[in-house]
Amino acid sequence: VDLFFGEAPGRVIVSVSPANLAHVVEAANAANVPCMHLGAVGGTALVLEGGSAPGMKADAVSIGVAALRASREACLDAIVGAR
């Protein structure tokens, strides 16, 4: 889960509707920003299809929304202190 949340400026995950995916990819390409489709969000999990991003295995990944939320809420605790 730490792969998705942190203070690394070169790594951003963007969630867009399927209708806007082509526009986002086009805009990233026009700005010479690397972009790849990782998977889809639905139900109670973020499911990532196989990919080649640094730190990812080629196998599919499924992470529960509750775990993602907990990681996101705690991501700055080491820097600014726990709540």
Side-chain angles (χ1 to χ4, degrees), residues 20-50:
N20 291 324
L21 180 59
H23 176 72
V24 170
V25 171
E26 181 180 313
N29 289 336
N32 200 28
V33 174
C35 178
M36 67 183 294
H37 178 245
L38 294 174
V41 178
T44 60
L46 170 65
V47 178
L48 302 178
E49 299 162 356

Side-chain angles (χ1 to χ4, degrees), residues 4-83:
F4 304 113
F5 301 110
E7 292 297 305
R11 182 178 62 219
V12 177
I13 292 182
V14 178
S15 179
V16 299
S17 69
N20 291 324
L21 180 59
H23 176 72
V24 170
V25 171
E26 181 180 313
N29 289 336
N32 200 28
V33 174
C35 178
M36 67 183 294
H37 178 245
L38 294 174
V41 178
T44 60
L46 170 65
V47 178
L48 302 178
E49 299 162 356
S52 60
M56 284 188 63
K57 297 179 180 178
D59 299 333
V61 175
S62 177
I63 303 171
V65 171
L68 291 170
R69 182 177 295 116
S71 182
R72 171 62 185 99
E73 291 174 357
C75 71
L76 294 178
D77 285 351
I79 297 169
V80 297
R83 290 173 255 173

